[in-house]
Amino acid sequence: MGADFSQTPEASVGDFFDRVSEDYDQSIRKAIPPYREMLDALLGYCFLGVEKPLRILELGCGTGNLSVLLRALFPNARLTLVDLSPDMLKLAAVKLGAESEQLQLLQGGFMEVSFQPESFDLVISSMALHHLRDAEKPVLYERIFQWLKPGGLFRCADEVLGVPESVHLENMRRWEIWARQNGATEADIQLWSDHAEQYDHYAPLQAHFQWLTTSGFQDVEAYWRNLMWTVFGASRPIEP
Ligand SMILES: C[S@@+](CC[C@H](N)C(=O)[O-])C[C@H]1O[C@@H](n2cnc3c(N)ncnc32)[C@H](O)[C@@H]1O
């Protein structure tokens, strides 16, 4: 019998993002100095025909910052956006417009939503999967593998755990200095430090690579990194 993830703390993460939704865009840009550069790197490694009628799944769309860039890069794609927080999704809807053939907004947890096998050309996520506990991540990677068409791509920007601990601590020290220089206030630092303590579950990049490989992915690779922020990905082989 598979593990039971029904008691996950997903709901409380959603509550947190409901509470901060109105201030999220401003706060995240200050708290993550390379936010836009990271999203650019994430999109730059999505090697897919930009004019094609692709099907794209975005996990943890938040207020839709990546979704807007995806729509601009892939104007003929059908986007499915998933997020736990109704208030973050509402703000994404404001940026992207009403649901249509080309846009589906789904409120739900990563471990609850399900899709037909081989539905998507691209599954993508930014700054969201680290909210899952480590036991859940390989299970989600197996699901993503199934949701992707053969040859489909998984692309992820996320915070990873520096190893050994001294690397993680130095990353955090440098983050605080950089965020302050970037306009983050004491309140911003406090907000995201408390958030990290309560809701974040960073895993080492090597663990992500191991889970992706075990799930059947190939071409597992990191494309960009700055302190803990890392863009990595993999692809589902064309042949089984
Ligand atoms: C830090 S925000 C990132 C938003 C956006 N992708 C960005 O880059 O700005 C994380 C988002 O993931 C969502 N999220 C976190 N855990 C989730 C889960 N288990 N299932 C669905 N959404 C989740 C949160 O509600 C939040 O909107």
Side-chain angles (χ1 to χ4, degrees), residues 8-11 13-18 24-25 28 32 35 38-39 42 58-67 82-86 88-89 106-113 125-132 136 157 192 195 200:
T8 63
E10 282 185 345
V13 181
D15 292 345
F16 171 87
F17 282 104
D18 277 342
Y24 175 82
D25 282 357
I28 205 73
I32 305 184
Y35 181 65
M38 178 184 72
L39 296 186
L42 179 61
E58 185 187 346
L59 296 173
C61 63
T63 59
N65 293 333
L66 174 64
S67 332
V82 174
D83 203 287
L84 204 50
S85 156
M88 295 291 266
L89 272 173
L106 285 180
Q107 195 257 315
F110 305 141
M111 307 307 291
E112 302 156 10
V113 291
S125 184
S126 156
M127 300 295 301
L129 301 190
H130 66 269
H131 295 110
L132 293 177
E136 296 170 310
W192 292 112
H195 169 84
D200 290 353

Side-chain angles (χ1 to χ4, degrees), residues 42-44 46 48-51 67-76:
L42 179 61
L43 292 169
C46 294
L48 293 163
V50 291
E51 297 297 337
S67 332
V68 166
L69 299 174
L70 280 168
R71 174 177 273 177
L73 183 62
F74 300 109
N76 300 316

Side-chain angles (χ1 to χ4, degrees), residues 204-222:
L205 186 58
Q206 288 308 322
H208 288 279
F209 282 10
Q210 182 67 50
W211 293 323
L212 287 165
T213 305
T214 306
S215 301
F217 282 97
Q218 68 179 19
D219 300 335
V220 180
E221 178 63 292

Side-chain angles (χ1 to χ4, degrees), residues 3 14 17 29 38 41 49 67 72 88 93 120 127 131 142-143 156 174 180 182 192 204 209 222 227:
F17 282 104
R29 285 193 175 90
M38 178 184 72
S67 332
M88 295 291 266
F120 297 101
M127 300 295 301
H131 295 110
E142 282 172 20
R143 292 185 190 171
C156 182
R174 284 170 180 264
R180 283 202 176 87
N182 198 45
W192 292 112
F209 282 10
L227 303 183

